[in-house]
């Protein structure tokens, strides 16, 4: 077997990387590759604060909206830019005390402001050397300085435990400051966290207020509770509270305010007090956005190391709907009275939750997946826990397509975008089932058309958008089948089965997508390219074939043989027709069929009517080679539905995508839209036209977008083209190297784009993993190795050997009737339930 060189190199790099503590490390970024790093830290649906690559806390996105670049400011002189910071004051015996921010040097990208540096806290002392180590959700900033007798590792995380949604949804950031005395003498140290009370201002809306900072001690927890002043509107998204606490051992001191002063005098007065003896003296002033400071002083013996923890918790209960109107609330806020209660309830649980989080990440990182697969899958998981996704007070999850700097981007959990996401169902199955309920219980109109953007509130506006997307609707049918299969929950299937059928039957309405009911979509097909395709094409065609197969399986299970027979008949006809009519010998193309007039298009199936040239529609794919033309086939592989068309044609299509869409260098590539890749970067183009090109193809045809690249890569991996699939993923991740772009933020129509979570599909493809909770069957590749597995409800590892496997459950429990290794055979287990912490050996 040949070893991919890039994979081997990354594996070696991972092995030789020194780990600063017992948190797992998948990748290390050196000082030249961390200026763009911002790792989100927060729970599912709670908002986040990001740990930068050099140690600062940036992007304070806790107030129900994105806030890229937002570092709340103390109400001092604007050019001082005094924002949240954590510092250390240290004193060796007989020496003068010194203080530094626990951060590395300010990245050069901040250097060119009109008043000099634009960086928060720009002029304060810092460590000279820095690197960033991570295996999400753990981030570690390693600080070193030859002039400082301390080694410091700044760590941050939020519990992330697949299958345990509640404990992965905590509104908090856990901060770990590991400080080691590298000298041969005792050193006194004082760590201080400093945060302005910014309640009332989310970075876009609001202003500075005279808020209230209160020092509290309770049940071993000490800290400052930051609350709103009376002028902050309690119905606004900016109203709420947050807390800074510690349970560390040492002498605690604090300030609930700083002294007012001109120029830089407020900071000067604080710095003088802090460096006097490391003990803060309380001040009492009434200022807008007043600073609160919490310090812990202790002593390190020669060579001693201590891990000092701080917790930032928050509760901001209000959330507007997609249009910044009304108040749909935040579910997490219903669970706590305030942020102080969050700290009281959850801080004491962190050691156990950290252990469980580490168990997940260790199992994944130490598995034998290619390094680039682990990086892409794990780092894109961060998208799930940003302002991309939220849970309303009514108990339902919703998501933007992506997020802009200060607003969401693409409202309504857009079906044709979220179809690509393969991370949530395999790690948090209950969340995925919740999202399917939204689609089928609230977004379907009386005809069976699913609104591809789902307005809020659900009960009154779920179908208000009044537009359907062919790929979005077919994908949702396949996702419903996926969630049923992974959970084995028959009640879930039955609850919305009639609506699933209705959604498929909508294809066959007059002037619909398949009005002649032949298994081929010909009608006006709005899709993820934000236009309508007219006539048969591979993108919608494969989604449709997959939906027919998934519905056939569900109908058979429920005993609806006639409906299953109809689905199979349409599938057989459509599959054969696509191979015969759309495959051009290299890849699948679109046969453009002009609608001729608007009356031939059913209501809700065209978004911009005035754009249509009825006899010569613009923005078509035509004979182009589309990068994700096999996305429906990708989903079929994931659902174990087999090939939807000729396997040979599918393999040739992969080769054509590489032949025509791949660009080793984009410097000379003409792109007429957005640039997510350019210059000397390598990528797959959205489409290429080896032959005839429409005068105006679909708008994004010259772009590059990572979610589509991951889709193409996953199909290649399923089809045995491992080197090409891994190279495609490597090209993507090379662009997100910490220097050019943030490795936790693959963008498309916004930051943290949902489509990029297709990357988890590479985990499934390279392991051959498939689980059916209905049949209680599990399958893996027969390639020897250890593979992490997760079905959304339980997870563990499978060590594949030459003649069998060792299957371990690390979380939840697993019901199993049959275990299979591809090419080796199957073993009947006879209703075995494997409990958490148990392993079984299986011989074939």
């Amino acid at each position: 077997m040949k070893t991919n060189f890039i994979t081997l190199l990354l594996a070696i790099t991972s092995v030789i990387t020194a780990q600063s503590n017992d948190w797992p490390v998948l990748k290390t970024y050196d000082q030249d590759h961390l200026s763009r790093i911002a790792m989100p830290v927060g729970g599912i649906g709670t908002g986040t604060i990001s740990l930068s690559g050099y140690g600062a806390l940036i992007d304070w996105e806790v107030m129900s909206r994105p806030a890229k670049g937002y570092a709340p400011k103390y109400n001092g002189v604007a050019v001082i830019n005094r924002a949240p910071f954590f510092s250390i004051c240290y004193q060796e015996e007989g020496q003068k005390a010194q203080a530094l921010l626990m951060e590395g040097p300010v990245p050069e990208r901040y250097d060119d402001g009109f008043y000099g540096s634009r960086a928060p806290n720009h002029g304060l002392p810092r460590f000279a050397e820095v690197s960033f180590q991570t295996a999400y959700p753990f981030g570690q900033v390693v600080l070193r300085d030859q002039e400082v007798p301390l080694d410091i590792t700044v760590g941050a995380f939020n519990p992330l435990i697949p299958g345990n949604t509640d404990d992965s949804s905590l509104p908090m950031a856990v901060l770990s400051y590991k400080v080691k005395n590298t000298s041969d003498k005792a050193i006194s140290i004082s760590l201080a966290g400093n945060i302005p009370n910014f309640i009332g201002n989310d970075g876009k809306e609001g202003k500075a207020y005279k808020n209230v900072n209160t020092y509290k001690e309770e049940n071993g927890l000490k800290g400052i509770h930051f609350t709103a002043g009376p002028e902050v509107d309690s119905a606004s998204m900016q109203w709420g509270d947050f807390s800074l606490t510690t349970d560390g051992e040492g002498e605690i001191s604090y300030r609930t305010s700083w002294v007012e002063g001109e120029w830089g005098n407020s900071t000067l007065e604080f710095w003088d007090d802090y460096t006097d003896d490391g003990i803060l003296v309380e001040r009492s002033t009434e200022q807008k956005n007043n600073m609160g400071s919490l310090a812990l002083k202790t002593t390190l013996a020669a060579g001693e190391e201590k891990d000092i923890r701080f917790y930032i918790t928050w509760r901001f209960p209000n959330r507007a709907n997609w249009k910044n109107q009304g108040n749909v609330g935040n579910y997490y806020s219903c669970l706590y009275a305030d942020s102080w209660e969050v700290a009281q309830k959850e801080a004491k649980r962190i050691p156990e939750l950290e252990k469980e989080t580490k168990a997940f990440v260790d199992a994944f990182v130490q598995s034998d997946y290619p390094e680039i697969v682990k990086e892409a899958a794990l780092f894109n998981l961060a998208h799930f826990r940003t302002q991309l996704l939220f849970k309303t007070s009514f108990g339902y999850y919703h998501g933007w397509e992506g997020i802009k700097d200060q607003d969401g981007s693409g409202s309504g959990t857009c079906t044709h975008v979220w179809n690509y996401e393969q991370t949530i169902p395999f790690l948090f199955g209950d969340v995925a089932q919740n999202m399917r309920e939204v689609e089928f219980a609230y977004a379907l109109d009386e005809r069976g058309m699913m609104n591809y953007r789902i307005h809020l509130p659900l009960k009154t506006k779920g179908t208000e958008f009044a537009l359907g997307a062919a790929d979005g609707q077919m994908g949702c049918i396949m996702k419903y089948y996926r969630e049923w299969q992974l959970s084995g929950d028959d009640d879930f299937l039955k609850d919305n089965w009639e609506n699933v059928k209705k959604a498929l039957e909508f294809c066959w309405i007059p002037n619909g997508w398949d009005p002649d009911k032949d298994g081929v979509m010909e009608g006006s097909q709005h899709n993820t390219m934000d236009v309508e395709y007219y006539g048969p094409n591979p993108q919608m065609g494969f989604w449709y074939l997959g939906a027919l197969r998934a519905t056939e399986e569900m109908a058979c299970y429920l005993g609806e043989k006639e409906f299953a027979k109809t689905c199979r008949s349409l599938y057989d006809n459509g599959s054969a027709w696509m191979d015969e009519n759309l495959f051009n010998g290299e890849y699948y193309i679109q046969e453009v069929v002009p609608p001729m007039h608007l009356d031939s298009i059913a209501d809700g199936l065209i978004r911009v009517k005035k754009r249509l040239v009825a006899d010569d529609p613009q923005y078509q794919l035509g004979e182009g080679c589309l990068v994700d033309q096999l996305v429906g086939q990708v989903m079929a592989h994931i659902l174990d539905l087999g090939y939807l068309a000729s396997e040979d044609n599918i393999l040739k299509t992969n080769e054509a995508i590489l032949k025509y869409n791949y660009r080793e260098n984009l410097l000379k590539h003409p792109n007429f839209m957005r640039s997510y890749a350019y210059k000397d970067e390598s990528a797959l183009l959205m489409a290429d036209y080896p032959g005839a090109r429409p005068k105006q193809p679909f708008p994004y045809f010259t772009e590059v977008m990572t979610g589509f690249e991951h889709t193409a890569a996953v199909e290649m991996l399923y089809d045995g083209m491992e080197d090409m699939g891994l190279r495609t993923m490597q090209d993507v991740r090379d662009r997100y190297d910490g220097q050019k772009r943030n490795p936790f933020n693959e963008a498309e129509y916004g930051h943290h784009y949902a489509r990029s979570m297709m990357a988890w599909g590479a985990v499934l493809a390279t392991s051959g993993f498939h689980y059916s909770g209905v049949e209680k069957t599990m399958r893996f590749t027969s390639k020897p190795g250890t593979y992490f597995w997760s079905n959304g409800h339980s997870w563990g590892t499978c060590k594949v050997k030459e003649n069998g496997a060792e299957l371990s459950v690390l979380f939840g429990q697993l019901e199993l009737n049959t275990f299979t290794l591809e090419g080796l055979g199957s073993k009947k287990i006879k209703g075995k339930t494997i409990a958490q912490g148990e392993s079984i050996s299986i011989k074939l």
Side-chain angles (χ1 to χ4, degrees):
M1 182 184 68
K2 295 182 179 179
T3 302
N4 179 279
F5 176 75
I6 294 175
T7 302
L8 178 61
L9 180 62
L10 287 172
I12 294 172
T13 301
S14 178
V15 170
I16 65 175
T17 295
Q19 297 189 20
S20 59
N21 62 21
D22 59 352
W23 283 359
V25 174
L26 176 62
K27 189 160 185 175
T28 297
Y29 297 83
D30 64 27
Q31 194 153 334
D32 294 329
H33 292 84
L34 49 69
S35 66
R36 296 289 178 180
I37 292 175
M39 189 192 80
V41 183
I44 301 168
T46 68
T48 58
I49 301 167
S50 289
L51 176 67
S52 75
Y54 56 96
L57 297 180
I58 61 175
D59 299 346
W60 288 65
E61 303 176 269
V62 296
M63 292 184 180
S64 301
R65 76 160 1 115
K68 295 303 179 191
Y70 181 46
K73 293 183 180 180
Y74 167 58
N75 192 44
V77 181
V79 298
I80 304 302
N81 200 356
R82 191 64 62 235
F85 67 91
F86 280 74
S87 55
I88 185 166
C89 176
Y90 70 94
Q91 186 170 20
E92 300 175 87
E93 185 176 352
Q95 301 293 319
K96 184 178 180 181
Q98 298 185 56
L100 304 89
L101 268 59
M102 289 186 285
E103 301 177 15
V106 173
E108 291 181 356
R109 65 190 180 93
Y110 289 110
D111 287 354
D112 59 350
F114 59 86
Y115 275 127
S117 176
R118 296 175 289 106
N121 307 308
H122 43 74
L124 300 182
R126 288 170 166 79
F127 284 76
E129 301 173 15
V130 59
S131 62
F132 186 86
Q133 300 180 344
T134 183
Y136 181 80
F138 297 108
Q140 301 176 82
V141 179
V142 181
L143 301 171
R144 300 290 185 265
D145 195 311
Q146 292 184 2
E147 298 179 3
V148 179
L150 301 170
D151 285 349
I152 295 182
T153 299
V154 179
F157 87 104
N158 177 287
L160 178 65
I161 307 160
N164 184 348
T165 301
D166 289 346
D167 288 336
S168 302
S169 304
L170 305 182
M172 69 188 308
V174 181
L175 304 177
S176 161
Y177 292 91
K178 271 199 154 185
V179 186
K180 182 177 182 178
N181 179 356
T182 59
S183 75
D184 57 3
K185 298 179 181 179
I187 298 178
S188 169
I189 61 170
S190 174
L191 279 65
N194 308 272
I195 306 176
N197 190 334
F198 60 99
I199 297 169
N201 187 338
D202 60 17
K204 179 183 179 181
E205 297 182 1
K207 60 181 183 180
Y209 291 94
K210 290 184 178 180
N211 295 317
V212 180
N213 302 342
T214 306
Y215 177 75
K216 295 182 177 181
E217 295 185 7
E218 186 177 358
N219 297 324
L221 209 60
K222 302 175 182 180
I224 299 175
H225 188 195
F226 299 78
T227 54
E231 295 180 346
V232 183
D233 182 1
S234 62
S236 72
M237 288 200 300
Q238 299 78 33
W239 183 87
D241 65 283
F242 66 96
S243 297
L244 170 64
T245 59
T246 183
D247 55 6
E249 295 183 0
E251 184 177 359
I252 300 295
S253 61
Y254 62 90
R255 284 184 168 201
T256 56
S257 63
W258 279 18
V259 173
E260 290 185 89
E262 297 180 319
W263 310 104
N265 293 342
S266 293
T267 307
L268 175 62
E269 193 277 338
F270 165 81
W271 206 258
D272 285 345
D273 179 34
Y274 183 43
T275 56
D276 179 44
D277 56 4
I279 302 296
L280 299 179
V281 179
E282 170 69 310
R283 300 288 188 261
S284 180
T285 62
E286 290 189 6
Q287 300 180 67
K288 294 179 179 178
N289 281 25
N290 213 335
M291 190 75 83
S293 299
L294 179 68
L296 185 152
K297 184 177 180 180
T298 187
T299 299
L300 292 176
E304 184 181 9
E305 181 179 68
K306 291 184 178 180
D307 184 355
I308 298 171
R309 298 288 178 102
F310 289 87
Y311 309 98
I312 300 175
T313 55
W314 58 87
R315 180 184 180 271
F316 290 92
N318 303 319
R319 176 178 289 275
N321 66 15
W322 306 112
K323 299 179 180 179
N324 287 326
Q325 299 169 351
N327 185 3
V328 296
N330 283 313
Y331 181 82
Y332 82 85
S333 70
C334 303
L335 307 177
Y336 308 96
D338 54 30
S339 64
W340 186 260
E341 185 178 52
V342 176
Q344 283 289 308
K345 286 185 174 181
E346 310 301 352
K348 61 188 176 185
R349 302 179 61 232
I350 288 303
E352 182 59 31
L353 298 181
E354 181 177 348
K355 179 180 177 182
E356 294 178 15
T357 301
K358 184 175 177 292
F360 155 58
V361 180
D362 277 337
F364 185 75
V365 169
Q366 293 170 14
S367 63
D368 290 326
Y369 293 104
E371 295 296 298
I372 194 60
V373 169
K374 290 188 280 193
E375 178 189 332
L378 196 60
F379 290 18
N380 275 295
L381 174 55
H383 293 202
F384 178 43
R385 302 207 304 169
T386 66
Q387 289 288 355
L388 178 73
L389 187 89
F390 57 91
K391 187 179 185 181
T392 68
S393 58
F394 302 101
Y396 287 107
Y397 292 92
H398 306 273
W400 301 93
E401 292 181 41
I403 55 178
K404 301 176 184 177
D405 287 352
Q406 297 177 321
D407 292 290
S409 182
S411 65
T413 323
C414 182
T415 58
H416 61 65
V417 170
W418 280 85
N419 273 353
Y420 290 73
E421 182 276 311
Q422 299 296 336
T423 304
I424 299 171
F426 286 92
L427 296 179
F428 296 94
D430 58 331
V431 177
Q433 288 179 263
N434 181 292
M435 297 176 80
R436 302 295 80 78
E437 183 178 350
V438 170
E439 292 157 356
F440 285 94
Y442 293 99
L444 224 61
D445 71 14
E446 58 185 12
R447 299 175 299 160
M449 185 187 79
M450 181 179 292
N451 288 251
Y452 71 82
R453 297 192 188 278
I454 307 167
H455 287 185
L456 297 173
L458 288 175
K459 290 185 179 180
T460 57
K461 296 187 176 182
T463 59
E464 180 183 65
F465 187 64
L467 292 171
D471 52 351
Q473 189 153 329
M474 296 303 98
C476 285
I477 292 172
M478 296 185 78
K479 291 188 294 185
Y480 204 89
Y481 176 75
R482 179 187 63 196
E483 269 60 278
W484 168 57
Q485 280 288 316
L486 287 173
S487 67
D489 185 348
D490 285 356
D491 288 337
F492 171 76
L493 173 62
K494 295 172 183 177
D495 284 346
N496 284 294
W497 167 241
E498 292 303 320
N499 281 344
V500 172
K501 286 173 57 181
K502 195 174 181 180
L504 184 64
E505 291 169 333
F506 176 78
C507 297
W508 311 326
I509 68 170
N511 298 323
W513 295 320
D514 182 16
D516 58 358
K517 202 174 179 181
D518 64 350
V520 180
M521 280 197 172
E522 307 99 348
S524 175
Q525 303 151 65
H526 187 80
N527 63 80
T528 200
M529 303 307 172
D530 297 323
V531 294
E532 291 76 36
Y533 284 171
Y534 297 96
N537 62 87
Q539 190 174 24
M540 266 53 72
F542 282 116
W543 275 123
Y544 186 26
L545 294 178
L548 287 167
R549 280 287 293 114
T551 308
E552 176 196 359
E553 294 290 330
M554 290 184 279
C556 283
Y557 185 83
L558 293 172
E560 298 193 19
K561 296 181 180 179
E562 285 303 313
F563 195 72
K565 184 178 179 181
T566 296
C567 293
R568 169 56 73 167
S569 175
L570 294 182
Y571 163 76
D572 286 341
N573 189 71
S575 176
W577 193 95
M578 284 184 62
D579 278 333
E580 184 176 346
N581 295 276
L582 297 188
F583 189 72
N584 69 359
E586 291 187 287
Y587 59 90
Y588 293 88
I589 63 171
Q590 178 194 9
E591 181 182 300
V592 180
V593 180
M596 302 312 293
H597 49 78
L598 277 171
D599 292 342
S600 66
I601 302 173
D603 289 345
L605 299 190
I606 180 171
R607 186 167 70 98
V608 184
K609 294 180 180 179
K610 65 181 181 180
R611 180 188 291 160
L612 176 66
V613 180
D615 61 349
D616 185 21
Q618 302 301 301
Y619 307 118
Q620 302 302 289
L621 170 63
E623 296 183 16
C625 183
L626 184 66
V627 68
D628 74 323
Q629 59 188 280
L630 299 177
V631 59
Q633 179 61 69
V634 171
M635 187 64 139
H637 284 313
I638 290 170
L639 302 187
D640 201 29
L641 295 174
Y643 280 95
L644 300 177
S646 163
E647 181 178 352
D648 185 55
N649 290 350
I650 297 296
L651 297 178
K652 289 179 179 178
T653 299
N654 286 326
E655 294 170 354
I657 291 170
L658 289 167
K659 176 181 178 181
Y660 294 119
N661 299 56
Y662 178 71
R663 297 292 185 276
E664 186 174 359
N665 187 307
L666 293 167
L667 192 63
K668 300 297 190 293
H669 167 63
N671 176 21
F672 308 107
M673 283 286 288
R674 304 162 299 185
S675 294
Y676 299 109
Y678 62 159
K679 298 187 288 193
D680 62 349
E681 295 172 327
S682 302
L684 291 179
L685 302 182
M686 289 295 294
D688 186 62
Y689 287 87
R693 193 206 80 190
K695 184 177 181 181
Q696 291 180 330
F698 69 95
Y700 311 126
F701 79 103
T702 59
E703 288 189 354
V704 168
M705 292 183 263
T706 70
F708 293 101
E709 292 178 282
H710 287 310
T711 300
V714 171
E715 181 60 32
M716 294 173 199
L717 293 173
Y718 269 117
D719 292 331
M721 302 173 64
E722 182 171 311
D723 282 352
M724 294 301 97
L726 296 180
R727 186 187 72 178
T728 298
M729 298 185 77
Q730 187 70 57
D731 286 342
V732 172
R733 295 307 300 174
D734 282 348
R735 303 197 294 268
Y736 289 84
D737 65 353
Q739 180 186 42
K740 294 183 285 189
R741 299 175 186 87
N742 179 9
F744 302 100
N745 181 10
E746 289 190 19
E748 190 181 313
Y749 179 47
H751 302 291
H752 307 294
Y753 203 71
R755 198 185 325 261
S756 299
M757 288 189 281
M758 166 60 83
W760 194 267
V763 173
L764 309 175
T766 50
S767 65
F769 173 74
H770 180 263
Y771 177 75
S772 170
V774 178
E775 301 295 333
K776 309 295 189 294
T777 60
M778 181 177 279
R779 189 180 69 235
F780 285 92
T781 176
S782 57
K783 179 181 178 181
T786 299
Y787 301 97
F788 172 87
W789 63 266
S790 179
N791 61 16
H793 307 275
S794 58
W795 50 269
T797 60
C798 180
K799 186 174 183 179
V800 177
K801 305 175 183 179
E802 290 186 1
N803 60 347
E806 183 175 333
L807 184 64
S808 300
V809 176
L810 301 177
F811 179 88
Q813 63 177 28
L814 180 69
E815 295 182 67
L816 201 59
N817 288 332
T818 305
F819 180 86
T820 300
L821 293 180
E822 293 177 352
L824 286 184
S826 300
K827 179 70 174 289
K828 296 291 185 181
I829 310 294
K830 297 182 180 180
K832 174 71 175 178
T833 297
I834 311 171
Q836 181 169 318
E838 290 185 352
S839 298
I840 62 170
S841 294
I842 304 168
K843 291 185 178 180
L844 298 178

